[in-house]
Amino acid sequence: MAETVKGNEILRNALGEIIGTFLMCFLGIGAVANATLGVSGAFGGPFQVGMVWGITIAIAIYATRNLSCAHFNPAVTFAMCLTGRLPWGKAPIYLVGQFVGAILAAACLWALFGESCIAAGTAMDWSSIWAERTPNGVPAASTLVGCLAEGIGVFILVFVIFSMTEDANAGKPGDVIFPLFIGLTVTMIIVTVGPITDAGLNPARDLGPRVIAAICGMTEPMNGNVVATLLIYTVSPLIGGGLAGLFYTKFVDKQHADAVAASK
C-alpha cells in the first residue's frame, strides 16, 4: 500500500509539472511568437507579452498546485531543494516534468508557427533568446550583463515566491490569491530585463524550445555561442534562485518571525 501511494505521488508530481510547464510555455512563448511575427498586430511590446506570461503562470499554478508544488522552473526547484523545502530525491521528478512540458509546448508551437517563422526569416526568434544580438547583428549586451539580468530577475522571482508561501510572513496574501502576485512579479521582471535578454528566467523554458529547434533542422539552436547561452539562460537563473532561497531562509524568514513575536 505504501509503495502504491508513493508511486501515485511520483505520478502526481510529474503530471503537475508537465501540465503547468506546458501551459506556461505554450501560452507564453505563443505570445512571443505572435509578437515576433507581428500576427495581426497582436502584441506591441514587453508589457503586453509580460502580461500574458504573468496571467498564464497564475492560471498554471491554480490548475496544478494540488498535484505538485507548481514550480515549472528548475531554478525554483533548485532553490526549494537547497533550502530544505523539497527533498533532493524529488528533484529529478520535477526537473523531468518541467523539461517534458517545455518540449511538448515547443513542439506544438512549431506545428502552429513553424512555417510562418521560416517564411518570415525569424524561425529562431520565438524559440530561443539571446543577449548579444539585435536584429541588425549589433551587440546589445555583454555576456556579463546578460548573466546579471537573468540572475537578478530570477533572484527577485524566487524571493517573492518564498515571501508569498512561507508562513512566517504575516503580511503575505492568502492562498487563494497569491498565484496572481507571483504572475504579476513575472510580468514586471519581463518588462525590466526583457529588453536585455528577452527574460528567459527559466532553464526549461529556454532549453526545451532549443531542443525542438535542433530537431526541426535549425542550424544554430544556441545562436553560435553555446557557452554564453548556457551561462546566461541556465547557470545564472540557477545561481540567482539558489541565492534568493538562501537569503530568504537564512535571514529574512527570521526577521518575519521576530516581527510577529514582537507584535504579540
Side-chain angles (χ1 to χ4, degrees):
M1 182 65 178
E3 291 182 359
T4 301
V5 172
K6 184 176 180 180
N8 289 340
E9 182 183 6
I10 292 173
L11 176 61
R12 284 196 304 273
N13 292 165
L15 189 62
E17 292 300 297
I18 291 171
I19 294 172
T21 308
F22 176 89
L23 289 172
M24 178 186 72
C25 289
F26 182 79
L27 298 174
I29 300 174
V32 176
N34 281 307
T36 300
L37 294 171
V39 178
S40 301
F43 301 101
F47 180 74
Q48 292 174 315
V49 173
M51 281 299 296
V52 173
W53 276 100
I55 294 169
T56 295
I57 289 171
I59 291 171
I61 294 173
Y62 283 123
T64 65
R65 63 179 174 175
N66 194 45
L67 299 176
S68 70
C69 294
H71 293 176
F72 317 145
N73 187 335
V76 175
T77 299
F78 177 64
M80 292 295 179
C81 289
L82 192 63
T83 57
R85 267 53 179 175
L86 184 77
W88 283 103
K90 283 191 173 184
I93 303 167
Y94 277 71
L95 296 176
V96 169
Q98 291 156 11
F99 281 100
V100 168
I103 290 171
L104 288 175
C108 291
L109 286 168
W110 185 261
L112 295 177
F113 293 102
E115 292 182 0
S116 298
C117 287
I118 293 173
T122 59
M124 289 297 295
D125 286 348
W126 69 270
S127 62
S128 65
I129 43 185
W130 176 228
E132 293 190 350
R133 64 173 173 80
T134 68
N136 297 322
V138 178
S142 67
T143 299
L144 176 59
V145 171
C147 287
L148 286 173
E150 289 292 305
I152 293 171
V154 175
F155 183 99
I156 294 171
L157 172 60
V158 171
F159 179 83
V160 170
I161 290 172
F162 273 77
S163 297
M164 295 290 167
T165 57
E166 292 295 317
D167 291 336
N169 180 12
K172 69 173 183 169
D175 290 345
V176 174
I177 198 172
F178 83 77
L180 295 175
F181 287 92
I182 293 175
L184 287 173
T185 300
V186 172
T187 296
M188 301 317 297
I189 295 170
I190 289 174
V191 171
T192 303
V193 308
I196 302 172
T197 62
D198 287 342
L201 308 175
N202 184 329
R205 172 262 181 271
D206 180 68
L207 290 174
R210 292 187 197 280
V211 170
I212 294 301
I215 292 173
C216 292
M218 304 309 300
T219 58
E220 295 188 39
M222 290 293 185
N223 290 310
N225 195 329
V226 175
V227 174
T229 300
L230 290 175
L231 285 175
I232 293 170
Y233 298 110
T234 300
V235 176
S236 294
L238 292 173
I239 293 174
L243 289 176
L246 291 173
F247 174 65
Y248 188 91
T249 56
K250 300 299 184 183
F251 180 71
V252 178
D253 198 34
K254 183 179 183 302
Q255 304 307 311
H256 279 305
D258 289 347
V260 171
S263 66
K264 292 181 179 179

